[in-house]
Amino acid sequence: MLKVRIIPCLDIIKNKVVKGVNFKNIKVLGDPVHLARKYSDNGADELCMLDIKASHEKRKTFLKTVEAIAKVIDIPLTVGGGVSDIKDITTLLNAGADKVSINTTAVLNPNLIKISSLKHGSQCIVVAIDGKRYGKKMLVTIKGGRERTNKTVVSWAKNVQNLGAGELLVTSMDTDGIQTGFDKEMLIAINKAVNIPVIASGGVGELKHFKEGYKTRSTGLLAASVFHTSKFSIQQVKKFLKEEGVPVRI
Amino acid sequence: MKKKVIGLIDSGSGNIGSIKKSISNIIENKPYQLQIIKTKKDFNNIDKIILPGQGAFATLMENLHKKNLYTQLLKLIKELSIPYLGICVGMQILATYGYENKKIKGLDIIKGEIIKFKKKNLIIPHMGWNTIKLKNKNIVFDQTTDLKDFYFVHSYYFKGVNSKNVTATTKYSNNFPSVVNIGNVYGVQFHPEKSHKEGSKIIKNFIFKS
């Protein structure tokens, strides 16, 4: 039976793992290579790392971090943040990423999804969707949630599936960082609309939230702070899920 | 003492980084060396072959033909019985035919066809960790590998394989052959190079025991 994937996410600035997307009070949580190795050894099913303050001059440092992490883990690695064209995707794959996540660029240039999935295979193209509520509508936002678009998360999810994306990484800007649980409504709506794997992201604060995420049909459950601050270990999450009858790799 | 040579085929479709790293770690300080195979002459003095298939079935077959690797590969596997480990699409091309994008002939070493998972509303690709159930033991897949989890990413599976060539099966909507074997030839649908310690054990068994 297919197991649900527990995926720690490393948000990276200048070769440091930092907390969240709030740029004002950046809190350093650890060394990326050290944490990556720890998570891989403790039973993480995949690892995600994001260049959250992607800038041209810092890109080389980030690529070195990707290479260093790829060397010490033997689980799949998804890398995102600051991907602007097919060259960036190829560079990240060559640096050791197994999958590359594209977000803002996918919205601005949907053709990149098509070109990159044809070139490298759908399995390594992840489209990250940052959703946020405006009234009753759940809309796609870009540039780290700072800019709204007129696309609904559901129509965009269907669209990127058709363009060849192999997976979705869905973050709700309404639940991200506040540890009240995943955005079940958003995840269920997207999972109903597509048949590619969905990674749920944003909002984990308690063990039960992982089970709630699984119930939305998402096959990957991503969390950051709860792991970096050692609130929970990967094994603790898996043990809890197993006892709750959710299939996990122990 | 002459080192044994592990040939890793770089067909040009997809990234061989992780498997290269796995093999290098495994053979470090051991009487083995790694040879990347890009042209026909790179096959000289090869003791074992690993083909880490990525991308589509058709692309891989076309690349093997284009790079003039096809004939020599078949000769080494079939006539000289060089041990072969095919990973993912590297396993799938062992089949008679593949149907990814179009019908295309495979190496026809293990009879069967590569077809897409069909069930309605099934999440495709089959992506993540899943269990293998041993059906026939061999030196690469011994009892300790039974019921272990490995990392899969694929939308197509091997159908119609003779049960004696099915080493293990995995369930995703239906039971499909996740490991196949005929003599010196092994094929795994999952990615041992991304399957942590259990995966590394498979590569070790292939390199040191087959």
Side-chain angles (χ1 to χ4, degrees), chain A residues 1-3 5 40-41 45-46 70 73-76 93 98-99 123 167 195-197 217 249, chain B residues 15 18 21 121-131 149 151 153 171-172 193-196:
Chain A
M1 190 176 193
L2 184 66
K3 312 296 187 297
R5 292 169 287 155
S40 171
D41 288 345
D45 297 304
E46 283 187 34
I73 64 168
D74 39 20
I75 55 173
L93 292 172
D98 296 299
K99 308 185 224 180
Q123 82 288 340
E167 191 173 27
N195 284 316
I196 51 178
R217 200 183 179 235
R249 174 181 70 110
Chain B
N15 189 343
S18 353
K21 178 196 74 188
N121 293 329
L122 186 70
I123 296 174
I124 297 287
H126 170 220
M127 181 187 280
W129 298 75
N130 206 335
T131 314
D149 289 328
Y151 190 82
V153 189
K171 186 159 193 230
Y172 191 60
E193 76 281 14
K194 300 195 210 328
S195 297
H196 206 234

mmCIF file of all heavy atoms in Angstrom, chain A residues 1-3 5 40-41 45-46 70 73-76 93 98-99 123 167 195-197 217 249, chain B residues 15 18 21 121-131 149 151 153 171-172 193-196:
data_model
loop_
_atom_site.group_PDB
_atom_site.id
_atom_site.type_symbol
_atom_site.label_atom_id
_atom_site.label_comp_id
_atom_site.label_asym_id
_atom_site.label_seq_id
_atom_site.Cartn_x
_atom_site.Cartn_y
_atom_site.Cartn_z
ATOM 1 N N MET A 1 0.824 -1.199 0.000
ATOM 2 C CA MET A 1 0.000 0.000 0.000
ATOM 3 C C MET A 1 0.866 1.260 0.000
ATOM 4 O O MET A 1 1.888 1.295 0.690
ATOM 5 C CB MET A 1 -0.872 -0.013 1.261
ATOM 6 C CG MET A 1 -1.935 1.048 1.244
ATOM 7 S SD MET A 1 -2.971 0.881 2.714
ATOM 8 C CE MET A 1 -4.317 1.946 2.258
ATOM 9 N N LEU A 2 0.439 2.253 -0.768
ATOM 10 C CA LEU A 2 1.210 3.498 -0.834
ATOM 11 C C LEU A 2 1.142 4.230 0.508
ATOM 12 O O LEU A 2 0.076 4.395 1.085
ATOM 13 C CB LEU A 2 0.655 4.385 -1.954
ATOM 14 C CG LEU A 2 1.420 5.686 -2.198
ATOM 15 C CD1 LEU A 2 2.820 5.410 -2.730
ATOM 16 C CD2 LEU A 2 0.660 6.596 -3.169
ATOM 17 N N LYS A 3 2.302 4.686 0.976
ATOM 18 C CA LYS A 3 2.377 5.370 2.267
ATOM 19 C C LYS A 3 2.256 6.879 2.064
ATOM 20 O O LYS A 3 2.684 7.411 1.038
ATOM 21 C CB LYS A 3 3.731 5.081 2.941
ATOM 22 C CG LYS A 3 4.139 3.614 2.958
ATOM 23 C CD LYS A 3 3.172 2.786 3.792
ATOM 24 C CE LYS A 3 3.645 1.358 3.980
ATOM 25 N NZ LYS A 3 3.745 0.577 2.740
ATOM 26 N N ARG A 5 3.477 10.566 2.530
ATOM 27 C CA ARG A 5 4.861 11.056 2.637
ATOM 28 C C ARG A 5 4.951 12.203 3.642
ATOM 29 O O ARG A 5 4.239 13.194 3.511
ATOM 30 C CB ARG A 5 5.342 11.575 1.275
ATOM 31 C CG ARG A 5 5.511 10.498 0.233
ATOM 32 C CD ARG A 5 5.727 11.109 -1.147
ATOM 33 N NE ARG A 5 4.521 11.686 -1.695
ATOM 34 C CZ ARG A 5 4.499 12.656 -2.586
ATOM 35 N NH1 ARG A 5 5.603 13.194 -3.037
ATOM 36 N NH2 ARG A 5 3.341 13.106 -3.052
ATOM 37 N N SER A 40 16.699 12.861 6.956
ATOM 38 C CA SER A 40 16.814 11.677 6.105
ATOM 39 C C SER A 40 17.056 10.428 6.959
ATOM 40 O O SER A 40 16.421 9.395 6.765
ATOM 41 C CB SER A 40 17.956 11.898 5.095
ATOM 42 O OG SER A 40 18.238 10.718 4.390
ATOM 43 N N ASP A 41 17.940 10.537 7.939
ATOM 44 C CA ASP A 41 18.237 9.395 8.810
ATOM 45 C C ASP A 41 17.091 9.054 9.749
ATOM 46 O O ASP A 41 16.956 7.914 10.176
ATOM 47 C CB ASP A 41 19.512 9.667 9.629
ATOM 48 C CG ASP A 41 20.745 9.607 8.743
ATOM 49 O OD1 ASP A 41 20.631 9.090 7.615
ATOM 50 O OD2 ASP A 41 21.811 10.095 9.164
ATOM 51 N N ASP A 45 10.360 11.057 4.352
ATOM 52 C CA ASP A 45 10.117 10.347 3.101
ATOM 53 C C ASP A 45 10.617 11.119 1.896
ATOM 54 O O ASP A 45 10.876 10.540 0.838
ATOM 55 C CB ASP A 45 8.621 10.064 2.960
ATOM 56 C CG ASP A 45 8.137 9.161 4.069
ATOM 57 O OD1 ASP A 45 8.712 8.068 4.220
ATOM 58 O OD2 ASP A 45 7.222 9.566 4.816
ATOM 59 N N GLU A 46 10.708 12.415 2.037
ATOM 60 C CA GLU A 46 11.268 13.296 1.022
ATOM 61 C C GLU A 46 11.744 14.527 1.764
ATOM 62 O O GLU A 46 11.396 14.729 2.925
ATOM 63 C CB GLU A 46 10.185 13.757 0.033
ATOM 64 C CG GLU A 46 9.788 12.740 -0.976
ATOM 65 C CD GLU A 46 8.831 13.312 -2.031
ATOM 66 O OE1 GLU A 46 8.941 14.496 -2.407
ATOM 67 O OE2 GLU A 46 7.967 12.549 -2.441
ATOM 68 N N ALA A 70 22.204 17.279 -1.400
ATOM 69 C CA ALA A 70 22.020 16.095 -2.262
ATOM 70 C C ALA A 70 23.075 15.034 -1.952
ATOM 71 O O ALA A 70 22.813 13.837 -2.041
ATOM 72 C CB ALA A 70 22.068 16.494 -3.733
ATOM 73 N N ILE A 73 21.997 12.992 1.516
ATOM 74 C CA ILE A 73 20.716 12.299 1.730
ATOM 75 C C ILE A 73 20.497 11.255 0.635
ATOM 76 O O ILE A 73 21.052 11.364 -0.459
ATOM 77 C CB ILE A 73 19.512 13.275 1.761
ATOM 78 C CG1 ILE A 73 19.335 13.984 0.409
ATOM 79 C CG2 ILE A 73 19.656 14.283 2.891
ATOM 80 C CD1 ILE A 73 18.030 14.725 0.290
ATOM 81 N N ASP A 74 19.699 10.247 0.950
ATOM 82 C CA ASP A 74 19.341 9.297 -0.102
ATOM 83 C C ASP A 74 17.834 9.077 -0.115
ATOM 84 O O ASP A 74 17.322 7.971 -0.139
ATOM 85 C CB ASP A 74 20.118 7.980 0.005
ATOM 86 C CG ASP A 74 20.293 7.535 1.438
ATOM 87 O OD1 ASP A 74 19.518 8.010 2.292
ATOM 88 O OD2 ASP A 74 21.177 6.712 1.700
ATOM 89 N N ILE A 75 17.129 10.216 -0.049
ATOM 90 C CA ILE A 75 15.686 10.264 -0.263
ATOM 91 C C ILE A 75 15.462 11.364 -1.305
ATOM 92 O O ILE A 75 16.368 12.170 -1.531
ATOM 93 C CB ILE A 75 14.913 10.574 1.046
ATOM 94 C CG1 ILE A 75 15.438 11.865 1.691
ATOM 95 C CG2 ILE A 75 14.988 9.405 2.006
ATOM 96 C CD1 ILE A 75 14.623 12.339 2.885
ATOM 97 N N PRO A 76 14.282 11.417 -1.925
ATOM 98 C CA PRO A 76 14.063 12.422 -2.964
ATOM 99 C C PRO A 76 14.109 13.860 -2.432
ATOM 100 O O PRO A 76 13.692 14.127 -1.306
ATOM 101 C CB PRO A 76 12.662 12.094 -3.475
ATOM 102 C CG PRO A 76 12.447 10.673 -3.113
ATOM 103 C CD PRO A 76 13.157 10.478 -1.820
ATOM 104 N N LEU A 93 18.396 20.528 -11.312
ATOM 105 C CA LEU A 93 18.403 19.065 -11.462
ATOM 106 C C LEU A 93 19.849 18.561 -11.488
ATOM 107 O O LEU A 93 20.182 17.561 -10.863
ATOM 108 C CB LEU A 93 17.649 18.634 -12.724
ATOM 109 C CG LEU A 93 16.127 18.861 -12.697
ATOM 110 C CD1 LEU A 93 15.517 18.584 -14.057
ATOM 111 C CD2 LEU A 93 15.458 17.981 -11.639
ATOM 112 N N ASP A 98 15.829 16.212 -7.303
ATOM 113 C CA ASP A 98 15.064 15.213 -8.045
ATOM 114 C C ASP A 98 13.840 15.847 -8.680
ATOM 115 O O ASP A 98 13.360 15.404 -9.712
ATOM 116 C CB ASP A 98 14.623 14.092 -7.107
ATOM 117 C CG ASP A 98 15.818 13.342 -6.563
ATOM 118 O OD1 ASP A 98 16.559 12.775 -7.376
ATOM 119 O OD2 ASP A 98 16.029 13.356 -5.332
ATOM 120 N N LYS A 99 13.315 16.884 -8.012
ATOM 121 C CA LYS A 99 12.154 17.603 -8.542
ATOM 122 C C LYS A 99 12.387 19.088 -8.337
ATOM 123 O O LYS A 99 13.053 19.482 -7.373
ATOM 124 C CB LYS A 99 10.880 17.217 -7.785
ATOM 125 C CG LYS A 99 10.630 15.738 -7.678
ATOM 126 C CD LYS A 99 9.283 15.486 -7.013
ATOM 127 C CE LYS A 99 9.352 14.404 -5.981
ATOM 128 N NZ LYS A 99 8.081 14.136 -5.323
ATOM 129 N N GLN A 123 7.449 13.891 -13.897
ATOM 130 C CA GLN A 123 7.720 13.480 -12.504
ATOM 131 C C GLN A 123 8.632 14.458 -11.786
ATOM 132 O O GLN A 123 8.673 14.486 -10.568
ATOM 133 C CB GLN A 123 8.263 12.045 -12.449
ATOM 134 C CG GLN A 123 9.751 11.883 -12.708
ATOM 135 C CD GLN A 123 10.146 12.098 -14.158
ATOM 136 O OE1 GLN A 123 9.314 12.019 -15.050
ATOM 137 N NE2 GLN A 123 11.414 12.386 -14.403
ATOM 138 N N GLU A 167 3.092 17.055 -10.059
ATOM 139 C CA GLU A 167 2.719 17.131 -8.653
ATOM 140 C C GLU A 167 2.384 18.575 -8.292
ATOM 141 O O GLU A 167 2.877 19.498 -8.936
ATOM 142 C CB GLU A 167 3.924 16.656 -7.825
ATOM 143 C CG GLU A 167 3.648 16.417 -6.370
ATOM 144 C CD GLU A 167 4.846 15.784 -5.664
ATOM 145 O OE1 GLU A 167 5.982 15.992 -6.105
ATOM 146 O OE2 GLU A 167 4.623 15.078 -4.677
ATOM 147 N N ASN A 195 -5.952 14.633 -10.584
ATOM 148 C CA ASN A 195 -5.499 13.282 -10.248
ATOM 149 C C ASN A 195 -3.979 13.170 -10.284
ATOM 150 O O ASN A 195 -3.434 12.148 -10.676
ATOM 151 C CB ASN A 195 -6.128 12.257 -11.197
ATOM 152 C CG ASN A 195 -7.576 12.006 -10.847
ATOM 153 O OD1 ASN A 195 -7.923 11.848 -9.677
ATOM 154 N ND2 ASN A 195 -8.433 11.994 -11.848
ATOM 155 N N ILE A 196 -3.299 14.245 -9.934
ATOM 156 C CA ILE A 196 -1.855 14.148 -9.718
ATOM 157 C C ILE A 196 -1.626 14.293 -8.212
ATOM 158 O O ILE A 196 -2.498 14.812 -7.508
ATOM 159 C CB ILE A 196 -1.056 15.219 -10.522
ATOM 160 C CG1 ILE A 196 -1.618 16.619 -10.302
ATOM 161 C CG2 ILE A 196 -1.023 14.872 -12.001
ATOM 162 C CD1 ILE A 196 -0.846 17.727 -11.018
ATOM 163 N N PRO A 197 -0.483 13.818 -7.711
ATOM 164 C CA PRO A 197 -0.258 13.891 -6.265
ATOM 165 C C PRO A 197 -0.230 15.340 -5.772
ATOM 166 O O PRO A 197 0.258 16.225 -6.466
ATOM 167 C CB PRO A 197 1.124 13.245 -6.088
ATOM 168 C CG PRO A 197 1.383 12.475 -7.338
ATOM 169 C CD PRO A 197 0.634 13.170 -8.421
ATOM 170 N N ARG A 217 -6.999 13.626 1.014
ATOM 171 C CA ARG A 217 -6.508 12.872 -0.146
ATOM 172 C C ARG A 217 -5.120 13.341 -0.598
ATOM 173 O O ARG A 217 -4.610 12.914 -1.620
ATOM 174 C CB ARG A 217 -7.516 12.977 -1.314
ATOM 175 C CG ARG A 217 -7.350 11.858 -2.366
ATOM 176 C CD ARG A 217 -8.338 12.081 -3.515
ATOM 177 N NE ARG A 217 -8.221 11.065 -4.552
ATOM 178 C CZ ARG A 217 -8.011 11.353 -5.838
ATOM 179 N NH1 ARG A 217 -7.897 12.597 -6.252
ATOM 180 N NH2 ARG A 217 -7.926 10.385 -6.730
ATOM 181 N N ARG A 249 5.598 4.826 6.340
ATOM 182 C CA ARG A 249 6.822 4.012 6.316
ATOM 183 C C ARG A 249 7.529 4.221 7.649
ATOM 184 O O ARG A 249 7.898 5.331 7.988
ATOM 185 C CB ARG A 249 7.729 4.476 5.178
ATOM 186 C CG ARG A 249 9.093 3.799 5.150
ATOM 187 C CD ARG A 249 9.926 4.330 4.014
ATOM 188 N NE ARG A 249 10.344 5.694 4.229
ATOM 189 C CZ ARG A 249 11.605 6.061 4.490
ATOM 190 N NH1 ARG A 249 12.552 5.159 4.570
ATOM 191 N NH2 ARG A 249 11.906 7.325 4.662
ATOM 192 N N ASN B 15 18.857 12.551 -15.265
ATOM 193 C CA ASN B 15 19.988 12.873 -14.434
ATOM 194 C C ASN B 15 20.520 11.605 -13.766
ATOM 195 O O ASN B 15 19.767 10.878 -13.134
ATOM 196 C CB ASN B 15 19.449 13.838 -13.374
ATOM 197 C CG ASN B 15 20.527 14.435 -12.546
ATOM 198 O OD1 ASN B 15 21.650 13.943 -12.505
ATOM 199 N ND2 ASN B 15 20.181 15.502 -11.861
ATOM 200 N N SER B 18 22.125 10.960 -8.696
ATOM 201 C CA SER B 18 21.917 10.231 -7.441
ATOM 202 C C SER B 18 22.414 8.798 -7.506
ATOM 203 O O SER B 18 22.991 8.306 -6.539
ATOM 204 C CB SER B 18 20.458 10.193 -6.987
ATOM 205 O OG SER B 18 19.624 10.949 -7.720
ATOM 206 N N LYS B 21 26.189 8.786 -7.281
ATOM 207 C CA LYS B 21 26.611 9.033 -5.902
ATOM 208 C C LYS B 21 26.465 7.752 -5.062
ATOM 209 O O LYS B 21 27.365 7.377 -4.324
ATOM 210 C CB LYS B 21 25.756 10.153 -5.312
ATOM 211 C CG LYS B 21 26.036 10.489 -3.869
ATOM 212 C CD LYS B 21 24.909 11.323 -3.270
ATOM 213 C CE LYS B 21 23.687 10.468 -2.999
ATOM 214 N NZ LYS B 21 22.505 11.247 -2.589
ATOM 215 N N ASN B 121 -9.844 7.897 -11.726
ATOM 216 C CA ASN B 121 -9.575 8.709 -10.529
ATOM 217 C C ASN B 121 -8.369 8.283 -9.702
ATOM 218 O O ASN B 121 -8.162 8.778 -8.595
ATOM 219 C CB ASN B 121 -10.792 8.762 -9.590
ATOM 220 C CG ASN B 121 -11.927 9.518 -10.236
ATOM 221 O OD1 ASN B 121 -11.689 10.436 -11.032
ATOM 222 N ND2 ASN B 121 -13.147 9.137 -9.919
ATOM 223 N N LEU B 122 -7.587 7.345 -10.229
ATOM 224 C CA LEU B 122 -6.373 6.956 -9.516
ATOM 225 C C LEU B 122 -5.360 8.097 -9.625
ATOM 226 O O LEU B 122 -5.221 8.720 -10.676
ATOM 227 C CB LEU B 122 -5.785 5.688 -10.148
ATOM 228 C CG LEU B 122 -4.585 5.067 -9.429
ATOM 229 C CD1 LEU B 122 -4.997 4.445 -8.096
ATOM 230 C CD2 LEU B 122 -3.941 3.989 -10.315
ATOM 231 N N ILE B 123 -4.659 8.384 -8.527
ATOM 232 C CA ILE B 123 -3.647 9.441 -8.562
ATOM 233 C C ILE B 123 -2.432 8.932 -9.344
ATOM 234 O O ILE B 123 -1.856 7.899 -9.030
ATOM 235 C CB ILE B 123 -3.244 9.871 -7.133
ATOM 236 C CG1 ILE B 123 -4.451 10.499 -6.418
ATOM 237 C CG2 ILE B 123 -2.077 10.854 -7.163
ATOM 238 C CD1 ILE B 123 -4.221 10.843 -4.960
ATOM 239 N N ILE B 124 -2.098 9.662 -10.402
ATOM 240 C CA ILE B 124 -0.999 9.289 -11.292
ATOM 241 C C ILE B 124 -0.029 10.459 -11.368
ATOM 242 O O ILE B 124 -0.480 11.583 -11.568
ATOM 243 C CB ILE B 124 -1.542 8.983 -12.717
ATOM 244 C CG1 ILE B 124 -2.479 7.780 -12.705
ATOM 245 C CG2 ILE B 124 -0.396 8.766 -13.698
ATOM 246 C CD1 ILE B 124 -1.790 6.454 -12.519
ATOM 247 N N PRO B 125 1.286 10.287 -11.254
ATOM 248 C CA PRO B 125 1.995 9.009 -11.102
ATOM 249 C C PRO B 125 1.824 8.368 -9.714
ATOM 250 O O PRO B 125 1.426 9.020 -8.759
ATOM 251 C CB PRO B 125 3.464 9.414 -11.317
ATOM 252 C CG PRO B 125 3.536 10.874 -11.035
ATOM 253 C CD PRO B 125 2.199 11.430 -11.391
ATOM 254 N N HIS B 126 2.109 7.063 -9.684
ATOM 255 C CA HIS B 126 2.253 6.347 -8.420
ATOM 256 C C HIS B 126 3.548 6.888 -7.830
ATOM 257 O O HIS B 126 4.626 6.584 -8.314
ATOM 258 C CB HIS B 126 2.365 4.840 -8.722
ATOM 259 C CG HIS B 126 2.746 4.002 -7.527
ATOM 260 N ND1 HIS B 126 3.621 2.942 -7.625
ATOM 261 C CD2 HIS B 126 2.345 4.052 -6.239
ATOM 262 C CE1 HIS B 126 3.756 2.374 -6.422
ATOM 263 N NE2 HIS B 126 2.996 3.018 -5.576
ATOM 264 N N MET B 127 3.413 7.782 -6.831
ATOM 265 C CA MET B 127 4.586 8.479 -6.324
ATOM 266 C C MET B 127 4.669 8.345 -4.820
ATOM 267 O O MET B 127 3.746 8.724 -4.104
ATOM 268 C CB MET B 127 4.491 9.966 -6.704
ATOM 269 C CG MET B 127 5.680 10.792 -6.249
ATOM 270 S SD MET B 127 5.431 12.553 -6.546
ATOM 271 C CE MET B 127 5.823 12.668 -8.290
ATOM 272 N N GLY B 128 5.775 7.775 -4.348
ATOM 273 C CA GLY B 128 5.981 7.646 -2.911
ATOM 274 C C GLY B 128 6.502 6.262 -2.547
ATOM 275 O O GLY B 128 6.926 5.501 -3.414
ATOM 276 N N TRP B 129 6.445 5.974 -1.248
ATOM 277 C CA TRP B 129 7.020 4.721 -0.729
ATOM 278 C C TRP B 129 5.950 3.643 -0.699
ATOM 279 O O TRP B 129 4.846 3.865 -0.209
ATOM 280 C CB TRP B 129 7.572 4.943 0.671
ATOM 281 C CG TRP B 129 8.686 5.943 0.704
ATOM 282 C CD1 TRP B 129 8.556 7.296 0.602
ATOM 283 C CD2 TRP B 129 10.080 5.682 0.824
ATOM 284 N NE1 TRP B 129 9.805 7.886 0.660
ATOM 285 C CE2 TRP B 129 10.757 6.919 0.810
ATOM 286 C CE3 TRP B 129 10.842 4.495 0.971
ATOM 287 C CZ2 TRP B 129 12.146 7.018 0.915
ATOM 288 C CZ3 TRP B 129 12.218 4.603 1.090
ATOM 289 C CH2 TRP B 129 12.857 5.857 1.056
ATOM 290 N N ASN B 130 6.298 2.483 -1.236
ATOM 291 C CA ASN B 130 5.356 1.379 -1.239
ATOM 292 C C ASN B 130 6.121 0.068 -0.990
ATOM 293 O O ASN B 130 7.330 0.002 -1.182
ATOM 294 C CB ASN B 130 4.586 1.361 -2.574
ATOM 295 C CG ASN B 130 3.229 0.703 -2.441
ATOM 296 O OD1 ASN B 130 3.008 -0.124 -1.548
ATOM 297 N ND2 ASN B 130 2.311 1.048 -3.330
ATOM 298 N N THR B 131 5.356 -0.940 -0.583
ATOM 299 C CA THR B 131 5.959 -2.198 -0.121
ATOM 300 C C THR B 131 6.136 -3.203 -1.245
ATOM 301 O O THR B 131 5.275 -3.299 -2.123
ATOM 302 C CB THR B 131 4.998 -2.826 0.925
ATOM 303 O OG1 THR B 131 4.587 -1.799 1.816
ATOM 304 C CG2 THR B 131 5.668 -3.930 1.702
ATOM 305 N N ASP B 149 9.836 -1.146 2.228
ATOM 306 C CA ASP B 149 9.312 -0.030 1.426
ATOM 307 C C ASP B 149 10.406 0.605 0.565
ATOM 308 O O ASP B 149 11.537 0.785 1.031
ATOM 309 C CB ASP B 149 8.739 1.054 2.347
ATOM 310 C CG ASP B 149 7.449 0.614 3.012
ATOM 311 O OD1 ASP B 149 6.700 -0.150 2.380
ATOM 312 O OD2 ASP B 149 7.201 1.018 4.155
ATOM 313 N N TYR B 151 11.028 3.696 -2.831
ATOM 314 C CA TYR B 151 10.451 4.903 -3.428
ATOM 315 C C TYR B 151 10.136 4.701 -4.921
ATOM 316 O O TYR B 151 11.022 4.396 -5.718
ATOM 317 C CB TYR B 151 11.405 6.085 -3.261
ATOM 318 C CG TYR B 151 10.765 7.394 -3.651
ATOM 319 C CD1 TYR B 151 9.941 8.083 -2.757
ATOM 320 C CD2 TYR B 151 10.957 7.940 -4.916
ATOM 321 C CE1 TYR B 151 9.334 9.271 -3.112
ATOM 322 C CE2 TYR B 151 10.349 9.142 -5.282
ATOM 323 C CZ TYR B 151 9.542 9.791 -4.371
ATOM 324 O OH TYR B 151 8.937 10.969 -4.737
ATOM 325 N N VAL B 153 8.241 6.227 -8.549
ATOM 326 C CA VAL B 153 7.630 7.312 -9.334
ATOM 327 C C VAL B 153 7.409 6.794 -10.737
ATOM 328 O O VAL B 153 8.362 6.701 -11.525
ATOM 329 C CB VAL B 153 8.543 8.545 -9.497
ATOM 330 C CG1 VAL B 153 7.770 9.691 -10.124
ATOM 331 C CG2 VAL B 153 9.160 8.982 -8.211
ATOM 332 N N LYS B 171 1.398 -3.322 -4.606
ATOM 333 C CA LYS B 171 0.002 -3.004 -4.878
ATOM 334 C C LYS B 171 -0.212 -1.508 -5.032
ATOM 335 O O LYS B 171 0.084 -0.716 -4.139
ATOM 336 C CB LYS B 171 -0.890 -3.533 -3.752
ATOM 337 C CG LYS B 171 -2.347 -3.349 -4.090
ATOM 338 C CD LYS B 171 -3.249 -4.266 -3.314
ATOM 339 C CE LYS B 171 -4.624 -4.227 -3.960
ATOM 340 N NZ LYS B 171 -5.709 -3.992 -3.076
ATOM 341 N N TYR B 172 -0.689 -1.124 -6.192
ATOM 342 C CA TYR B 172 -1.185 0.246 -6.400
ATOM 343 C C TYR B 172 -2.384 0.118 -7.328
ATOM 344 O O TYR B 172 -2.217 -0.093 -8.524
ATOM 345 C CB TYR B 172 -0.123 1.156 -7.002
ATOM 346 C CG TYR B 172 -0.550 2.626 -6.958
ATOM 347 C CD1 TYR B 172 -0.816 3.243 -5.738
ATOM 348 C CD2 TYR B 172 -0.728 3.360 -8.119
ATOM 349 C CE1 TYR B 172 -1.241 4.562 -5.674
ATOM 350 C CE2 TYR B 172 -1.140 4.698 -8.066
ATOM 351 C CZ TYR B 172 -1.393 5.281 -6.847
ATOM 352 O OH TYR B 172 -1.814 6.596 -6.776
ATOM 353 N N GLU B 193 18.237 4.057 -5.438
ATOM 354 C CA GLU B 193 19.176 5.143 -5.094
ATOM 355 C C GLU B 193 18.507 6.242 -4.287
ATOM 356 O O GLU B 193 19.182 7.095 -3.720
ATOM 357 C CB GLU B 193 19.823 5.703 -6.374
ATOM 358 C CG GLU B 193 18.954 6.615 -7.240
ATOM 359 C CD GLU B 193 17.945 5.897 -8.130
ATOM 360 O OE1 GLU B 193 17.689 4.689 -7.927
ATOM 361 O OE2 GLU B 193 17.385 6.556 -9.039
ATOM 362 N N LYS B 194 17.153 6.232 -4.225
ATOM 363 C CA LYS B 194 16.447 7.225 -3.414
ATOM 364 C C LYS B 194 15.683 6.550 -2.291
ATOM 365 O O LYS B 194 14.806 7.140 -1.675
ATOM 366 C CB LYS B 194 15.470 8.006 -4.284
ATOM 367 C CG LYS B 194 16.146 8.742 -5.407
ATOM 368 C CD LYS B 194 15.222 9.774 -5.993
ATOM 369 C CE LYS B 194 15.424 10.061 -7.448
ATOM 370 N NZ LYS B 194 16.743 9.963 -7.970
ATOM 371 N N SER B 195 15.991 5.287 -2.047
ATOM 372 C CA SER B 195 15.226 4.522 -1.056
ATOM 373 C C SER B 195 16.022 4.226 0.203
ATOM 374 O O SER B 195 15.917 3.147 0.793
ATOM 375 C CB SER B 195 14.703 3.220 -1.664
ATOM 376 O OG SER B 195 13.813 3.491 -2.715
ATOM 377 N N HIS B 196 16.825 5.202 0.613
ATOM 378 C CA HIS B 196 17.539 5.145 1.896
ATOM 379 C C HIS B 196 18.284 3.828 2.053
ATOM 380 O O HIS B 196 18.809 3.304 1.070
ATOM 381 C CB HIS B 196 16.531 5.421 3.025
ATOM 382 C CG HIS B 196 17.166 5.990 4.249
ATOM 383 N ND1 HIS B 196 17.017 5.425 5.494
ATOM 384 C CD2 HIS B 196 17.985 7.055 4.416
ATOM 385 C CE1 HIS B 196 17.701 6.124 6.387
ATOM 386 N NE2 HIS B 196 18.310 7.123 5.755
#
